[in-house]
Amino acid sequence: MNKMMNVGGSLDPVTFEVLKNSFITSVDQMAEQMLRTCYSFVIYNRDFSNGLHDSDGNSVAQGNQDIAVHVGTLHFTCKDVIRAFEGEMLPGDVYAINDPYAGGTHFSDVRLVRPIFDEDHLIGFSQSNGHWSDLGGSVPGSFDVTARDMFREGMRITPVRLFHGGRFCADVANLIAAQTRDPASIIGDIHSQAQATQVAEREILRLVRKYGRDQVTQGMREVQDYVERAARKRIAELPDGTWETVDYIDRDPATGEGMIPIRIKMTIKGDTIHYDFTGSHSTIASMYNSAPGATFSAVVAGTKTFFPDLPLNSGFYRMIEVTAPKNSVVSAEWPIAVTGFLMPFEKIMNAIFEMWSKIMPERAIACAFNLEYLLAGGLDARKPEKPIFMFYEWLPGGWGGRNGKDGADVTTACFGTGLMSQPNEGNERVNPTHTVEFQILQDSAGPGKWRGGVGVQKTSLLLESEKSVMSYICDRERAVVWGVEGGLPSMPHGLTIKRAGEEKETWLGSVFSDYPVFSGDQFARPTAGGGGFGDPLERDPQKVLVDVIDDYVSIRRAALDYGVVIKEIDADLCEYEIDTAATEALRADMRASRKGWARMEPAEVSRLYKAGEIDALDAVRRYAVILDWESGEVLPKTTEQFRESYEKRTVAHWG
């Protein structure tokens, strides 16, 4: 096997395999170093990635748990560092960069790059990327949804030395840290990441001593060539063709309602794949734009999902071509705001999932939930010195149903499956918050023959604090997680708040920043489940029964979504039974009626919602109507777009 895969290479198969795995292991060891020495709770929860590069900056290896969003961009930032310091690099140098316009992701992802020298010969680079919890800007956490340009988002770091020949440039590091709300943690994370890059340097030089410099650098080239050959061979075995689809961002705050399309056309020709984003919307008046590097990374991550056994390095990138019109929502340029790039990122990934599901139906998957960030910051009044606190949290949710299998439950987002689900106890220790509720959310999964995975519901209480504000970075309040092959959507995202001393909750939705919050306020948000795969009326009633027993599906929605009538015998003993005759009758009625429901006049759906006769799940799953979830008013353009998607992905497959 190895001999076949290394035709044309100069390394013997055993040395090649040892070096290939050693490169990956060296990056995994960087991760272990960061986990044990980082200061930021965000980085501790694995919002980081590392990489090894050759002397030209091309990616040689990533770690086994590095998150998808970073790895497709690390080679861009490495190359930008090379351009800035070529001919001036010294052993012991470490450079910092976070520039999304130079191929990075967003300003919060700060990369430290170390050149690796053997004597006077530059043989490669190690790179550590960590999400710093604050980079300055207009709001705590540096995620201002209303930002139109980068000047409200925080600090842009073009390539700069942090270590010069092994000497720590404290003046530069302190200048950077002083622009943030948590300078002590920033200095700590700088040293943590710098040490991580040194771990990889040590391991690569150990390999040099064992195998020689030429063999190690040859190995760096050959592992990329190996991946390229293997990937191109897989692509060449597939039929040539073109596939197209569209997914949406919820809105542009400057233009009123109406979803923002991201259009993708994928063409396979021979052993190459071309992704064309022509027709995607222009940049929007918020930070939900993606710079070219992040868009490329989304393309790589989405494609790589269907080739899970291949290592990922620059060899994989060589078979991929991307066309993205300048100043579109997927190709923003300086100084357009891009910190919320993850919203188009996940739309790109899910659109790619859909297209590849047509090519590889055995791996087919419906839409996954959208990652969300909750950020709150202010003064921690529990402590006499009242330090600034930074509560920065994401939640798990559900992935889409699959061909022959339900979606993954309560899983980190496709944006970065290496992320941890943050422990409540850790957040409560470092922030003035208390977890009131954190549990699997019943009825969150998109119904289907194979249902989506379930999401969660979390409610938190703000404790003693002063001058605190909150921002919520989310999407799919309107572009609701969709099903495929006849499957149904999941549920709208959004956050509600209940003020201290009040009984009524207020719906704030999925997009707001700099919202004042006070001690005693409770804030609750769900994460959606994944979209359903296949007609839910074809789901085995016994599987629906099991979901009811497990509290994944309510008895009410078992009937409304699956047409399965279940009787409760003893809930405490989890005793339920299926009414077979009633189920057969209900399913027959639903088959006869559901296309009409999906085309009901939106104004009538609004009336039913306002009257309390239906809820949001009914609106999106049965009637394919998107409302303002607070007022109940129809969003006409959004509904038109949502119904077009629903007709194509769901109704068209109902036989």
Side-chain angles (χ1 to χ4, degrees):
M1 174 70 73
N2 285 328
K3 290 182 178 180
M4 293 175 61
M5 285 296 183
N6 285 280
V7 173
S10 63
L11 296 179
D12 67 86
V14 173
T15 302
F16 169 82
E17 196 66 25
V18 169
L19 287 176
K20 175 170 70 73
N21 289 295
S22 295
F23 294 151
I24 296 171
T25 299
S26 71
V27 183
D28 281 338
Q29 289 182 354
M30 294 173 70
E32 293 302 315
Q33 176 75 18
M34 289 183 69
L35 285 170
R36 285 160 174 75
T37 60
C38 65
Y39 276 56
S40 296
F41 191 63
V42 176
I43 294 179
Y44 177 75
N45 284 283
R46 299 202 70 105
D47 196 346
F48 68 80
S49 294
N50 299 291
L52 176 67
H53 308 270
D54 64 20
S55 59
D56 294 322
N58 300 309
S59 289
V60 172
Q62 68 166 95
N64 282 306
Q65 206 170 332
D66 288 332
I67 64 177
V69 64
H70 297 155
V71 294
T73 66
L74 295 181
H75 63 296
F76 291 129
T77 45
C78 189
K79 290 174 183 289
D80 204 54
V81 167
I82 293 172
R83 282 191 290 270
F85 290 100
E86 192 166 15
E88 304 176 22
M89 294 180 176
L90 298 172
D93 278 2
V94 178
Y95 312 97
I97 179 175
N98 76 341
D99 191 351
Y101 311 108
T105 48
H106 56 187
F107 301 105
S108 301
D109 288 336
V110 183
R111 291 99 189 276
L112 267 61
V113 180
R114 178 187 295 270
I116 301 174
F117 286 88
D118 175 37
E119 297 177 345
D120 293 331
H121 296 271
L122 177 65
I123 60 175
F125 296 85
S126 55
Q127 182 172 185
S128 172
N129 175 72
H131 183 120
W132 292 2
S133 58
D134 188 85
L135 261 294
S138 56
V139 298
S142 310
F143 277 49
D144 186 345
V145 175
T146 63
R148 295 189 178 207
D149 55 47
M150 60 151 285
F151 306 111
R152 296 180 63 181
E153 296 189 289
M155 181 173 31
R156 178 189 184 192
I157 306 171
T158 55
V160 62
R161 274 193 179 96
L162 286 181
F163 289 80
H164 191 184
R167 178 181 63 83
F168 180 50
C169 301
D171 53 347
V172 178
N174 289 332
L175 174 65
I176 292 173
Q179 312 309 310
T180 76
R181 293 173 175 84
D182 190 7
S185 292
I186 297 306
I187 295 296
D189 289 334
I190 286 174
H191 285 291
S192 173
Q193 291 180 242
Q195 287 297 310
T197 63
Q198 194 170 38
V199 167
E201 177 189 51
R202 181 190 67 217
E203 289 302 301
I204 296 305
L205 292 179
R206 181 183 65 80
L207 293 173
V208 167
R209 289 192 296 272
K210 182 175 182 179
Y211 293 98
R213 180 196 309 147
D214 291 342
Q215 290 233 77
V216 170
T217 55
Q218 178 67 18
M220 290 182 175
R221 290 191 294 272
E222 288 198 18
V223 294
Q224 296 175 64
D225 294 342
Y226 158 74
V227 172
E228 180 184 10
R229 286 194 306 273
R232 288 190 183 277
K233 182 176 184 295
R234 300 273 187 92
I235 299 304
E237 292 170 350
L238 299 173
D240 288 356
T242 298
W243 296 262
E244 297 183 60
T245 192
V246 61
D247 204 352
Y248 297 94
I249 299 169
D250 278 351
R251 75 200 85 179
D252 181 343
T255 59
E257 69 97 4
M259 298 190 293
I260 307 303
I262 297 175
R263 302 188 185 279
I264 312 180
K265 179 166 67 175
M266 181 181 74
T267 300
I268 295 178
K269 186 175 182 180
D271 60 359
T272 62
I273 313 168
H274 180 221
Y275 292 94
D276 187 351
F277 289 87
T278 299
S280 296
H281 199 278
S282 57
T283 55
I284 60 177
S286 83
M287 63 176 192
Y288 289 2
N289 300 290
S290 177
T295 293
F296 180 82
S297 183
V299 166
V300 169
T303 307
K304 177 66 171 63
T305 302
F306 286 79
F307 301 91
D309 57 313
L310 292 179
L312 184 61
N313 59 36
S314 285
F316 193 85
Y317 309 156
R318 296 172 190 167
M319 64 159 183
I320 295 174
E321 300 172 2
V322 176
T323 299
K326 287 187 177 181
N327 291 316
S328 65
V329 73
V330 294
S331 188
E333 298 186 333
W334 182 89
I336 296 295
V338 294
T339 293
F341 80 96
L342 62 136
M343 300 308 162
F345 187 99
E346 290 198 351
K347 308 308 185 301
I348 295 168
M349 282 195 72
N350 279 289
I352 288 174
F353 288 173
E354 183 181 24
M355 292 186 291
W356 276 98
S357 292
K358 302 294 184 183
I359 301 167
M360 297 182 178
E362 71 279 8
R363 292 188 180 275
I365 185 171
C367 184
F369 88 106
N370 205 102
L371 183 64
E372 47 84 70
Y373 290 139
L374 177 63
L375 301 99
L379 303 180
D380 188 345
R382 300 175 304 171
K383 303 175 182 178
E385 67 274 22
K386 294 184 180 179
I388 293 176
F389 75 91
M390 280 299 313
F391 176 68
Y392 173 43
E393 184 183 55
W394 59 81
L395 296 178
W399 281 51
R402 294 161 285 180
N403 188 359
K405 196 170 185 180
D406 292 341
D409 301 313
V410 191
T411 303
T412 51
C414 60
F415 170 86
T417 52
L419 290 172
M420 289 175 60
S421 178
Q422 297 184 27
N424 297 328
E425 297 81 2
N427 260 324
E428 291 174 345
R429 179 175 180 180
V430 298
N431 300 299
T433 61
H434 171 67
T435 302
V436 176
E437 170 194 30
F438 188 29
Q439 63 180 355
I440 286 175
L441 181 57
Q442 190 180 60
D443 295 328
S444 57
K449 182 176 181 179
W450 305 101
R451 63 161 174 80
V454 294
V456 301
Q457 172 81 21
K458 183 164 188 179
T459 303
S460 300
L461 173 69
L462 187 63
L463 303 177
E464 297 90 341
S465 64
E466 297 176 6
K467 299 180 181 179
S468 298
V469 296
M470 179 185 294
S471 299
Y472 192 47
I473 317 305
C474 192
D475 208 57
R476 296 216 187 269
E477 178 185 351
R478 299 176 180 179
V480 179
V481 173
W482 33 266
V484 297
E485 302 294 324
L488 297 180
S490 173
M491 59 174 291
H493 273 160
L495 181 144
T496 57
I497 189 165
K498 185 167 70 173
R499 293 295 193 187
E502 296 183 3
E503 292 298 321
K504 183 181 178 182
E505 294 181 336
T506 300
W507 171 264
L508 298 181
S510 63
V511 180
F512 60 87
S513 286
D514 209 21
Y515 185 84
V517 287
F518 306 94
S519 301
D521 288 352
Q522 279 194 176
F523 39 94
R525 85 259 198 206
T527 57
F533 186 101
D535 188 344
L537 299 187
E538 295 179 5
R539 185 167 177 81
D540 183 345
Q542 290 296 327
K543 291 183 179 294
V544 179
L545 177 63
V546 170
D547 284 342
V548 168
I549 292 171
D550 288 340
D551 279 338
Y552 288 0
V553 175
S554 66
I555 290 178
R556 176 175 177 270
R557 295 231 69 91
L560 289 172
D561 296 331
Y562 294 98
V564 176
V565 180
I566 295 176
K567 296 180 179 179
E568 177 185 309
I569 307 302
D570 190 324
D572 291 337
L573 297 177
C574 293
E575 290 186 7
Y576 302 86
E577 68 177 25
I578 298 168
D579 186 327
T580 303
T583 294
E584 291 175 356
L586 179 57
R587 284 188 160 184
D589 180 67
M590 291 174 68
R591 287 191 177 95
S593 305
R594 59 184 175 174
K595 289 185 179 180
W597 293 334
R599 294 158 189 168
M600 180 183 287
E601 179 60 41
E604 175 61 14
V605 178
S606 173
R607 185 192 67 78
L608 294 171
Y609 181 83
K610 290 177 182 178
E613 296 180 38
I614 64 170
D615 59 17
L617 294 185
D618 296 319
V620 298
R621 293 179 182 175
R622 177 165 286 199
Y623 302 108
V625 171
I626 303 298
L627 306 171
D628 179 306
W629 305 115
E630 179 73 4
S631 69
E633 294 297 323
V634 175
L635 302 177
K637 184 177 179 181
T638 301
T639 292
E640 180 183 355
Q641 293 167 308
F642 185 75
R643 281 191 162 183
E644 182 180 356
S645 166
Y646 189 90
E647 286 280 342
K648 179 185 74 170
R649 294 180 169 121
T650 298
V651 175
H653 299 273
W654 279 346

